[in-house]
Amino acid sequence: MKILVVNAGSSSLKYQLIDMQTEKVLAKGGCERIGIKGSLLKAKGNGLEKEYRQSMPNHKIAIELVLDALQDSEIGVIKSMDEIGAVGHRVVASGEYFKKPTLVTPEVLQTLEEKTFELAPLHNPAAATGLRACMEVMPKTPMALVFDTSFHATMPEKAYLYGINYDDYKNYGVRKYGAHGTSHKFVSGEAAKYLGKSPEELKIVTCHLGNGSSITAVDGGKCVDTSMGFTPLAGVLMGTRSGDIDASAVEFLAKKKGLSHSEVITYLNKQCGVAGISGVSSDFRDLCKGAKKGNERCALALEMFAYQTKKYIGAYAAAMGGLDCIVFTAGIGENTATVREDVCAGLEFLGVKFSSKANKAKNDGSVREISKSNSKVKVLVIPTNEELVIARETAALL
Ligand code: AMP
């Protein structure tokens, strides 16, 4: 069976067509500037790449164009749309309404649109728009929703609750939901495979370090805690997000900067993190270059990032009562060797014996062990594959 994975943004739509027998990506691409002048589809298939510069006033036209590309005479990989067994849609937030991946029914669509939009106002409406477009163009094809939050649904109450009035949690759903769940699920599963153990035997801390970063404690294959919170603003400082901050600072900053509370939240999401600390960039490649040239604030941003990540690893080792493996993944986790080294420095007391030599080896896209062979805690670099998880979950629902 072939599964189409769709990740819709407000003006974009990324896709992959995956063959579930081989788990190979047959075709992939993305539409940019949907609803904006200059729309573009970049599509890959059959080892070729093609650009379609065509007007895409809405997501329906975009998905029609994607289906055309999938059946194109040069880059096409299917003969007819009927070869697509199902479509898996990435959805950022589920709240407590969906605890697991779900096939779309009219009721599911209604809950998605009426209940979850306020939890991820930028992302969930876009996912629903993408979903509706696919339903219109492919009315007979099953649609599934796969949530970034699902993997975190196993967190116990003591981990996901904030210390607020319990009634406010019950009435308004204010609690930790986490994010990047598909990535944490994938890399923790791959770690178990690599180590030749069953997930039930392992205590793993997965570090998804990218422009958005989150760290998760995976005990026995299940998430027991994670660093992101009610929204992806929480946890370690990120590209432009502040990470954890005392809520009282929101009021204080609003007064000092003459901003509304909601403007302060936008500021904390868009102008802070390593970009705010360094004053240079949110991109770790720029920060590493800056630090090398002696820019102290670039060095400070990198230092803070490694320190905060390290603290989560220590906290989660304590929460799980042990640690067998640390996994690094995503843009920074997979590529920025100095961050991995700084995060692991000083973790010898936990049983980590880090190999600087292995850590410096080139990223060849495979699973890499960067701890010494006699390290009690294994440290792995594992390329993430969120699309494959979405495809697997979708196939499992059928
Ligand atoms: P992501 O959000 O997972 O795409 O990660 C983006 C972050 O990874 C940026 O801060 C990049 O600087 C960082 N990064 C470091 N090296 C690379 C690389 N070779 N390719 C892509 N991203 C990289």
Side-chain angles (χ1 to χ4, degrees):
M1 187 193 353
K2 296 179 183 86
I3 302 272
L4 182 64
V5 175
V6 170
N7 182 354
S10 55
S11 64
S12 67
L13 189 147
K14 289 190 221 135
Y15 70 92
Q16 284 194 5
L17 186 70
I18 299 179
D19 180 343
M20 296 316 292
Q21 254 90 52
T22 59
E23 296 199 330
K24 289 263 171 328
V25 177
L26 301 172
K28 65 181 195 177
C31 304
E32 298 164 25
R33 301 179 65 86
I34 301 171
I36 307 170
K37 215 170 151 221
S39 326
L40 170 69
L41 162 62
K42 286 186 195 160
K44 281 186 189 166
N46 283 332
L48 300 166
E49 197 170 344
K50 198 164 168 179
E51 288 195 359
Y52 299 72
R53 288 182 189 276
Q54 247 162 278
S55 159
M56 285 179 242
N58 54 49
H59 285 70
K60 180 171 173 259
I61 308 285
I63 195 74
E64 280 173 350
L65 207 55
V66 166
L67 291 171
D68 285 349
L70 290 172
Q71 298 168 72
D72 185 270
S73 57
E74 289 161 16
I75 63 158
V77 291
I78 52 172
K79 295 220 157 49
S80 127
M81 200 162 90
D82 298 339
E83 289 180 46
I84 301 173
V87 184
H89 295 264
R90 179 198 175 203
V91 184
V92 166
S94 65
E96 290 190 328
Y97 302 102
F98 302 102
K99 297 245 151 123
K100 28 184 215 230
T102 306
L103 276 177
V104 176
T105 62
E107 296 74 38
V108 164
L109 181 59
Q110 192 178 4
T111 307
L112 176 76
E113 295 188 329
E114 289 181 5
K115 306 280 188 189
T116 72
F117 281 11
E118 62 181 3
L119 296 169
L122 292 179
H123 296 100
N124 276 23
T129 306
L131 168 64
R132 277 194 178 274
C134 288
M135 288 167 73
E136 237 182 288
V137 180
M138 314 163 78
K140 291 199 200 112
T141 312
M143 301 281 151
L145 305 181
V146 181
F147 303 92
D148 279 11
T149 42
S150 300
F151 184 59
H152 304 304
T154 49
M155 275 189 286
E157 221 177 16
K158 68 179 177 192
Y160 70 66
L161 280 183
Y162 292 121
I164 58 170
N165 188 308
Y166 193 82
D167 292 340
D168 290 332
Y169 152 62
K170 276 287 169 204
N171 290 335
Y172 309 124
V174 175
R175 49 159 282 187
K176 178 187 279 201
Y177 291 109
H180 300 136
T182 45
S183 176
H184 291 290
K185 177 173 182 163
F186 180 76
V187 296
S188 57
E190 291 298 297
K193 266 192 226 161
Y194 177 86
L195 298 172
K197 301 221 163 139
S198 97
E200 285 72 33
E201 298 172 72
L202 292 168
K203 296 179 191 298
I204 307 178
V205 174
T206 49
C207 305
H208 177 110
L209 309 180
N211 200 29
S213 294
S214 65
I215 294 124
T216 294
V218 186
D219 194 351
K222 294 199 166 84
C223 166
V224 292
D225 208 341
T226 192
S227 62
M228 281 182 169
F230 180 63
T231 72
L233 180 55
V236 294
L237 86 166
M238 305 171 216
T240 61
R241 286 176 232 158
S242 64
D244 292 335
I245 181 167
D246 183 339
S248 308
V250 173
E251 170 84 42
F252 191 82
L253 280 167
K255 270 198 205 135
K256 292 285 179 195
K257 289 171 80 79
L259 300 173
S260 68
H261 287 179
S262 122
E263 284 167 338
V264 173
I265 298 299
T266 304
Y267 156 82
L268 292 173
N269 270 300
K270 304 225 157 126
Q271 293 171 39
C272 294
V274 292
I277 294 292
S278 68
V280 170
S281 172
S282 63
D283 192 303
F284 275 61
R285 287 166 286 199
D286 299 335
L287 298 179
C288 291
K289 269 189 218 145
K292 237 183 183 171
K293 283 191 191 145
N295 183 316
E296 285 177 9
R297 283 192 17 214
C298 286
L300 175 62
L302 290 168
E303 210 181 338
M304 286 174 69
F305 184 75
Y307 175 69
Q308 294 188 7
T309 304
K310 187 199 305 278
K311 281 207 300 182
Y312 269 104
I313 294 173
Y316 289 164
M320 293 191 287
L323 183 63
D324 299 302
C325 180
I326 299 169
V327 179
F328 289 99
T329 192
I332 301 160
E334 291 169 35
N335 295 299
T336 315
T338 51
V339 166
R340 295 192 299 256
E341 175 126 31
D342 292 347
V343 169
C344 291
L347 293 185
E348 293 77 12
F349 78 99
L350 278 178
V352 175
K353 286 190 182 152
F354 193 75
S355 165
S356 294
K357 190 169 163 230
N359 184 45
K360 286 190 189 107
K362 206 169 169 280
N363 178 8
D364 60 0
S366 66
V367 177
R368 287 181 291 144
E369 191 167 336
I370 56 170
S371 44
K372 292 186 176 153
S373 56
N374 63 347
S375 183
K376 182 177 89 59
V377 175
K378 301 290 174 202
V379 186
L380 305 176
V381 180
I382 303 184
T384 195
N385 194 340
E386 294 168 272
E387 291 78 13
L388 182 56
V389 174
I390 295 173
R392 282 179 185 164
E393 302 277 15
T394 303
L397 282 172
L398 302 176

